[in-house]
Amino acid sequence: MKTKFFKLGLALFCVLSSSLTWAQDANLNNFVKKLDDLTNKTAQEKVYLHMDKPYYAIGDNIWFKAYTVNAKTGMPSTISGLLYVELINEKDSIAKQLKLPMKSGITWGDFKLTDSLQEGNYRVRAYTQWMRNAGQEFFFDKTIKIGNSWANKVFTKSNNVLSTENNQQKVTTTIQFTDKQDLPYANAAVSYEVKLNNKTVERGKGNTNTRGEIIIATTNKQPEALKSGHISATITLPNKQVITKEIPLKTTSNDIDVQFLPESGKMVAGLPNKLGVKAINSSGLGELTSGVIVGNDGTEISRFETNKLGIGSFFINPVVGQAYKVNLTFANGAKKTMDLPTAERSGTVLSVGNLDSNKMSLKIYLTEDLLNKNDYNLLAQHNGTVYFSTKVSSAKQVTSLTVPKDSLPSGIVQLSLLSSTFVPLNERIVFVNNVNDKIEVKPENLKDSYGKRGKMDLTLATTHDGKPVQGSFSVAVTNTAAVKPDPENETNILTKLLLTSDLSGYVEKPNYYFLNNDRNTRFDLDNLLLTQGWRKIDWKQVESGPLAEKFPAEKKLQISGTVTKGGKPVVKGKITLVSFTGGFFMTDTLTDDKGRFNFDQIEFLDSTKFVVQARTEKDKKFVDIVMDNIPGQTVSKNPNTGDIEVNINQALAGYLDASGKFFEDQTKRGLLNRTILLDEVNIVEKRKPTYNSSNIGGAGNADAVITAKELETAFSLSQYLQGRVAGVQIRNGQAFARGSQSPMRISLDGMMMDGDSFDLDDIVVQDIETVEILKSIGTTAIYGMQGGAGVIVINTKRGDGARSVNPYTPGLVNYVPKGYAVVREFYAPKYDVKPDSRPDLRTTIFWEPQMVSDASGKAKISYFNADVPGTYRLVIEGIDVQGNLARKVLTYDVK
């Protein structure tokens, strides 16, 4: 990547002086080259998912398109060929995971929200293996709300009251339990457990009152460390059915955290300093705050007021030896006094004015003791590409520069002042919104209004800099009467790829900064960057080189491993890979001098079962096969604390009502299946012998055995097991033994699967030959620690009838790797082909993940509106091969 240089004025808004030379210093040029080499070698990826809606209901599908770009160039990424997309529940466990193939940084897929899930605040996380080298702070991670009115029997509404007793924080939570008709479950037994940061702080039991309420009081003895958590409340219904609900505790404290952040990293006495202010509550949301800065003698120095997001700024010129305090006043009338950071006696300040739409002004200030000494280096870079670099003389106390914004790309630009030996002194990040590098999308034939079931034949023209663009776009159409938009809080292709992917921490209402490009918005955006951490370039790496590559970029699926005999590698051993899933497949290869083998020219879908057979060069089978297994990505705490909703079903009431009517209609048509939950029964029968068993305790040595014949009418394994085995409960697609907080481990054809990331419905029920339930100490003891929470042994069909299999066969292993997820097609009715008199109650009207514009920049879409009137919202997002981004929101009325 070539470094770009621009001539900038030495004096504020002035022409460049001849005394300032650009990038002529050999050491500076060498440093810039090292930075460029580093970012070329460690170029990470950015992932963004365009989802059809901001919230969902059980019974829905989450449709999404993924855009992956090279973090250095901004162009569609060719680094990785595989993308991992995960649905994470409120317990920070992976409920579902998809593995998707990418082509030129583009892929799409969907999650089916079965009624084995509960309502809650879920997260959609997406990343590549290559991105794991930089850390999960760079992943796409979005909190979405999933409600449940269609299959739900118990609705909860909670309210928290915070108080202080004996200098300890107390939370009093009232939880009301009602049915679908809003009738209370009175005098019902409830047990509960309160966890803060996964630490249990309270347990108890009780009965609901006549209003279906139970009151839980929690004392937080560590409010500084334990700030949020959840309540697991288990209620026993009149039919003896036991249902557990997870109630979020967003915060256990009324405290407001206020930070004062000097513009370029430190406050220096005798120089003008700009300080950013950030005030957030314990829920992670900004708080309106005002403050008065006073000196030692109480004299007022300055005032400030934050905006609605808790962000603001002010100027101060601190005096040597003077200490400053801030008297704060919050929106609720509370007051607080804090100290400002202590000003340093000597140093530099890098100050930026970024309110003008066309240019940015820079000033470098030096204290008097630094005059006429060593010169400095000023660099501006975007995603690791240096856009200008220059020497800054120490002959003057103030140096001023001007940067035209049309010379810089959209996104975050990092300005750094370095010493003569390239030690970082000051850093400032600014945002540039360059309108010239966006794709313009214009409808050619969109009318203001249409009728119910009106056919939409739309042509969209895409251009960049007035020229036609060929790009890949995704289109979502929703009815705002049901799916109410929240424009300021939207995560979209611009907010993610240009702003939040390069910032540390949670950004509240990210799209607020993109709705307008006026002076007030630029002021608020600049204050955001004053207070939000940057996480891109570590200057120490420039000299030390890139970090070790722990996770290589995945280009395609592969099955690999190592073959040994007596602890030594088997060289030139024959490896055969066989699968009977969906037909017969076989291929083979040889091991290398390290005993390694790799099948990397295959593609397969998820749940494909393989048999790997190994032999020595002399056809001996007594060898050991160890399959490669990339460790799964751990799940951190939800970083999007401000997006958590306590009462999901109440917050989504309008949408759930509309979705419920649609689901009921789909069920009547036979297009949607509802899980039938049976009352718990005890199985009292003689243990059945089982065939094809991988149970290391022996075939049939189980507390319950279920055969393929019994599963013939099952819709899913989780649905079938619900209530059929005493002491086993099904929650979110996972099985839990009574009294256990951890899911039962799953042994699939002898392979122990991760219970947190692999659920029962990941297996096609028709492929199962037998299921063995191990929950007592007598059946699980042989599994050791892995069997502590119980084991479900699943034995799949082999295609050759019932047979007995030794759990260990020399030179042979059964292997079920994660394959590609099956990508489904969004269903949209075609009334001109097949008229239908039944009501059309869709909330997502249309979803097209791959709308490609032709050489003339034109793209066409066609669909039919639904029967529900309202304002229909059409959102188009996309990218071209040069990395230019597109986002367009259009509306029309259906009457």
Side-chain angles (χ1 to χ4, degrees), residues 480-495:
T480 60
V483 184
K484 298 186 184 301
D486 183 5
E488 289 190 352
N489 202 39
E490 287 180 331
T491 297
N492 59 57
I493 199 167
L494 301 180
T495 66

Side-chain angles (χ1 to χ4, degrees), residues 667-821:
T667 305
K668 291 176 183 177
R669 300 188 191 197
L671 300 175
L672 199 61
N673 294 312
R674 190 197 304 267
T675 299
I676 300 173
L677 298 181
L678 305 176
D679 295 339
E680 184 175 300
V681 296
N682 292 324
I683 307 289
V684 182
E685 62 175 291
K686 186 177 180 181
R687 288 179 185 161
K688 303 174 184 179
T690 183
Y691 301 97
N692 183 31
S693 176
S694 58
N695 184 355
I696 61 176
N701 186 24
D703 297 290
V705 177
I706 300 164
T707 66
K709 184 172 182 58
E710 293 170 290
L711 293 170
E712 284 179 351
T713 59
F715 172 69
S716 66
L717 184 55
S718 65
Q719 168 257 323
Y720 185 87
L721 291 178
Q722 180 71 46
R724 276 188 165 84
V725 181
V728 175
Q729 297 177 351
I730 306 300
R731 300 198 296 269
N732 293 336
Q734 295 175 323
F736 292 77
R738 181 175 293 158
S740 175
Q741 297 300 311
S742 300
M744 299 176 72
R745 293 297 299 269
I746 295 175
S747 172
L748 180 62
D749 289 337
M751 288 188 62
M752 294 300 289
M753 314 303 288
D754 186 351
D756 286 333
S757 60
F758 190 93
D759 69 41
L760 297 169
D761 295 334
D762 283 342
I763 307 152
V764 179
V765 70
Q766 287 76 20
D767 288 344
I768 297 174
E769 185 172 314
T770 54
V771 179
E772 300 174 73
I773 309 295
L774 285 56
K775 60 186 181 66
S776 64
I777 187 66
T779 58
T780 61
I782 196 169
Y783 284 86
M785 293 183 64
Q786 288 188 316
V791 181
I792 296 179
V793 179
I794 299 175
N795 306 297
T796 60
K797 297 174 182 177
R798 299 293 178 85
D800 56 354
R803 61 188 177 94
S804 179
V805 175
N806 191 305
Y808 174 73
T809 302
L812 195 73
V813 296
N814 297 310
Y815 188 52
V816 187
K818 191 77 177 175
Y820 291 141

Side-chain angles (χ1 to χ4, degrees), residues 91-92 193-203 218-223 225-232 249 252 637 741:
K91 290 185 175 180
D92 297 325
E193 180 179 25
V194 182
K195 283 190 172 184
L196 299 179
N197 288 16
N198 290 323
K199 179 180 180 181
T200 300
V201 296
E202 201 76 53
R203 282 194 181 98
T218 305
T219 300
N220 185 3
K221 299 178 181 179
Q222 298 175 273
L226 308 178
K227 295 185 177 182
S228 63
H230 68 274
I231 300 173
S232 292
L249 282 175
T252 61
K637 274 184 65 66
Q741 297 300 311

Side-chain angles (χ1 to χ4, degrees), residues 48-52 63-65 67 474-476 847 875 877:
Y48 164 66
L49 266 59
H50 179 201
M51 289 180 276
D52 65 311
W63 303 95
F64 63 84
K65 180 174 182 178
Y67 297 88
S474 49
V475 183
W847 167 253
V875 179
E877 297 186 348

Side-chain angles (χ1 to χ4, degrees), residues 246-303:
E246 301 294 331
I247 315 296
L249 282 175
K250 284 189 70 171
T251 178
T252 61
S253 172
N254 282 320
D255 290 344
I256 297 174
D257 179 57
V258 181
Q259 299 179 58
F260 301 99
L261 301 149
E263 180 176 22
S264 55
K266 56 188 176 183
M267 197 161 70
V268 181
L271 300 178
N273 292 258
K274 185 178 183 180
L275 271 72
V277 183
K278 187 171 187 178
I280 58 172
N281 58 31
S282 296
S283 297
L285 298 175
E287 286 281 345
L288 191 65
T289 305
S290 61
V292 178
I293 297 92
V294 297
N296 286 341
D297 58 0
T299 303
E300 180 178 321
I301 306 297
S302 184
R303 286 176 173 264

Side-chain angles (χ1 to χ4, degrees), residues 166-385:
N166 300 323
N167 294 322
Q168 292 182 336
Q169 300 283 355
K170 184 177 180 181
V171 185
T172 303
T173 305
T174 302
I175 306 174
Q176 183 184 38
F177 299 86
T178 61
D179 63 13
K180 195 168 186 176
Q181 286 71 43
D182 204 30
L183 298 175
Y185 285 109
N187 199 33
V190 177
S191 61
Y192 58 85
E193 180 179 25
V194 182
K195 283 190 172 184
L196 299 179
N197 288 16
N198 290 323
K199 179 180 180 181
T200 300
V201 296
E202 201 76 53
R203 282 194 181 98
K205 297 180 179 179
N207 283 52
T208 58
N209 59 23
T210 56
R211 295 185 298 277
E213 298 172 339
I214 188 169
I215 299 175
I216 301 172
T218 305
T219 300
N220 185 3
K221 299 178 181 179
Q222 298 175 273
E224 295 299 322
L226 308 178
K227 295 185 177 182
S228 63
H230 68 274
I231 300 173
S232 292
T234 302
I235 184 171
T236 303
L237 303 184
N239 66 353
K240 305 303 180 184
Q241 185 176 348
V242 177
I243 293 178
T244 300
K245 293 290 181 177
E246 301 294 331
I247 315 296
L249 282 175
K250 284 189 70 171
T251 178
T252 61
S253 172
N254 282 320
D255 290 344
I256 297 174
D257 179 57
V258 181
Q259 299 179 58
F260 301 99
L261 301 149
E263 180 176 22
S264 55
K266 56 188 176 183
M267 197 161 70
V268 181
L271 300 178
N273 292 258
K274 185 178 183 180
L275 271 72
V277 183
K278 187 171 187 178
I280 58 172
N281 58 31
S282 296
S283 297
L285 298 175
E287 286 281 345
L288 191 65
T289 305
S290 61
V292 178
I293 297 92
V294 297
N296 286 341
D297 58 0
T299 303
E300 180 178 321
I301 306 297
S302 184
R303 286 176 173 264
F304 70 85
E305 185 173 291
T306 67
N307 62 9
K308 61 183 180 181
L309 303 178
I311 298 170
S313 63
F314 62 91
F315 283 93
I316 186 173
N317 197 332
V319 177
V320 174
Q322 177 81 278
Y324 299 91
K325 293 185 179 295
V326 184
N327 297 322
L328 299 166
T329 303
F330 303 110
N332 61 5
K335 296 182 182 297
K336 184 178 182 179
T337 298
M338 295 181 65
D339 294 326
L340 276 188
T342 302
E344 298 184 7
R345 291 177 175 270
S346 175
T348 57
V349 169
L350 172 61
S351 182
V352 179
N354 196 28
L355 301 186
D356 193 289
S357 60
N358 298 316
K359 54 186 176 293
M360 168 195 319
S361 61
L362 285 66
K363 289 188 177 182
I364 298 99
Y365 297 92
L366 313 177
T367 52
E368 290 187 3
D369 61 306
L370 299 179
L371 289 173
N372 298 310
K373 292 186 178 178
N374 294 319
D375 290 340
Y376 301 89
N377 300 288
L378 179 65
L379 276 76
Q381 59 88 15
H382 169 80
N383 285 336
T385 298

